[in-house]
Amino acid sequence: MTKMTSLKGVKTLPLNTILDGDCIDMMNSLPAESVDLIFADPPYNLQLKGDLHRPDNSRVDAVDDHWDQFSSFAAYDAFTRDWLAAARRLLKPNGAIWVIGSYHNIFRVGTALQDAGYWILNDVVWRKSNPMPNFRGKRFTNAHETMIWASKSEGAKYTFNYEALKSLNEGIQMRSDWVLPICNGGERLKDANGEKAHPTQKPEALLHRVLVGATNPGDVVLDPFFGTGTTGAVAKMLGRDWIGIEREAAYRTVAQKRIDNIRKFDKSALEVSQSKRAEPRVPFGQVVERGMLRPGEMLTSATGKTAKVRADGTLVGNDVKGSIHQVGAHLEGAPSCNGWTYWHFKREGKIVPIDVLRQQIRAEMRET
Amino acid sequence: MTKMTSLKGVKTLPLNTILDGDCIDMMNSLPAESVDLIFADPPYNLQLKGDLHRPDNSRVDAVDDHWDQFSSFAAYDAFTRDWLAAARRLLKPNGAIWVIGSYHNIFRVGTALQDAGYWILNDVVWRKSNPMPNFRGKRFTNAHETMIWASKSEGAKYTFNYEALKSLNEGIQMRSDWVLPICNGGERLKDANGEKAHPTQKPEALLHRVLVGATNPGDVVLDPFFGTGTTGAVAKMLGRDWIGIEREAAYRTVAQKRIDNIRKFDKSALEVSQSKRAEPRVPFGQVVERGMLRPGEMLTSATGKTAKVRADGTLVGNDVKGSIHQVGAHLEGAPSCNGWTYWHFKREGKIVPIDVLRQQIRAEMRET
DNA sequence: TAATGACTTGAATCTCACG
DNA sequence: ACGTGAGATTCAAGTCATT
């Protein structure tokens, strides 16, 4: 089960294991810049006062665990700053973090993230399709939680599988609000007494979307507040390596058992839709070299512009010479232009974008 | 038009007027504990860098106004602390505040609210039905903004018209996520040149819900960042008194004209807050995320075709990858195909169309 | 007149490999 | 590190002209 990766010949990363201990100490014991993604579900600091009862007088099983108790905002802030600093040290330069919280703590977490040098990419709202109602009728149904997605620093090249998420959303760009049910039913883990094993178990669907969108197979995902191990379970399914940190023995036991029973999806199922950026670059000159278009041949645009192909893979149109992109941009008076989709040629009576020639070359490249 | 209320015989409250000046100075000039509700739409501190163009090369008209520029988070925090302190002094003991923002600023606002002694009651997410997309495919569509609702202090007896909001929501308890369109069309105010009068005008439907839920007729509502006066317009319609503070003369002019033309209980303002009830679109990806089908699982068609489910909610069948609809259409050589009824899976020995899974998800969504 | 389609627009921290 | 240039990238509603 445990896979160890040597790092700089000194420290090793305890992949696919649950570490026992305080998350700050444990993170500080791991090698710097070794983790691709951190998913964190820290204590919410709920500050609940007494018991809450439903209209039928049944008692709501609230989060009143000792690990959720802080003496003040200052104490919570100090804790937050410390674990965020330890987490940031662990992240690779292009790594990223997701933190989930509610209005009790998420504003303090967000401020601490920004102050620590993280760069917020989005806040994402998990809109619960089946939240607990507000029994007293004194506030709105608390029907959502907030996740913050941030890169290690401004300008970092974070992972974002745009096309895969677009596919998950049936061809439409994924939005910052996600509608998903809370974790209950068979997915909700129970302890020996049949009670819920953890008060705030997150749904696997949530982690599925986070990990498909923000990691690639083989990436290392760390969860410093592992709980019952939803992060590890989904990471294993999706062929990502994971590390969990959890102080409470009871949670570790449940999580380990849960993850042992998970099977990885087969490799072909893990391939996701790729963006065009991942495709190899094909210079337009290759199209000419291979004789797919001849020097002197005329290209046309949907807007009625024309240009002539030259032997070196440049175009000339309206006295302007340059790349397919430059000439297209100039003729349209536009700041930029994708010449591959802008320019067309005639083949067997039909008007075809030159991009089909690039696709043909790419197909030939794959065959070899 | 202007109604003056004597307060403690010393200072008077300039009801139903727009005050010209810096919001902190102006608030400090008003009598303490005189206002029932504050609605604030402060600068977001967007920190935009260069220009952004749409894929069709048109330029996005960004928020680059001088009033949104701050030199650092520290400067923004200082500004936030100052105006929140002035606002808190103005509030009656049982008064409340609403602040709207995005991930750029809302975490700092929330932290400052808590530090100033306000007590957060809910964060409310405005889910935009028609947000601007992410044009570069590098992040999620920024499809929501966050509002924080807080009382002046813990234990205060804030106003909450539970039943009125429940009625607005077709008899169901109002949730913390509100789906409303952005402000455009006829409601969007234009200047003399036909350009938008203000870059960030909020929809009246949003203020309608806030004021119906958190004030009573005759209450005093103050907006320290009045802009084009949406808060005043809706307050007037709903029979609340209002005070606006705005530095920019151009905005004051537009706002005054707008409000002068408002009649109380304008019926059209009520109509915009009604949401449409359509069968919600369910992406096939949700079926995978929720574990109803697993990546790697095989689907079959009545015509004997098969395809494999992938982690991003696409299928692969006969070397073709794509949505459930695309792969079905390809395998049948058809121009289109309804994948929901075309594809089947096996459950307890029976062959079932995947559409039953979609119906299951819709049923869960309706449970709320 | 109603339907259709082209065009416009919205609080946006919006590219990246290569030399 | 920094400049250069290839080339990838959008959804829902509104207005307005045309059929």
Side-chain angles (χ1 to χ4, degrees), chain A residues 298 306-310 314-323 327 331 343:
Chain A
M298 296 303 292
T306 61
K308 185 188 287 182
V309 176
R310 305 203 300 171
T314 58
L315 300 186
V316 54
N318 203 15
D319 278 346
V320 175
K321 299 163 190 171
S323 71
V327 174
L331 291 177
W343 291 112

Side-chain angles (χ1 to χ4, degrees), chain A residues 235-276:
Chain A
K236 182 176 175 184
M237 283 178 211
L238 291 174
R240 276 72 169 163
D241 285 320
W242 55 271
I243 300 168
I245 305 174
E246 178 53 54
R247 286 192 303 193
E248 307 282 330
Y251 298 157
R252 288 199 305 274
T253 305
V254 172
Q256 188 66 59
K257 188 175 162 199
R258 169 191 196 177
I259 295 170
D260 287 344
N261 287 328
I262 297 275
R263 269 196 340 168
K264 266 188 201 183
F265 300 141
D266 70 70
K267 209 172 161 221
S268 67
L270 294 182
E271 287 173 17
V272 296
S273 313
Q274 292 295 315
S275 79
K276 283 191 193 167

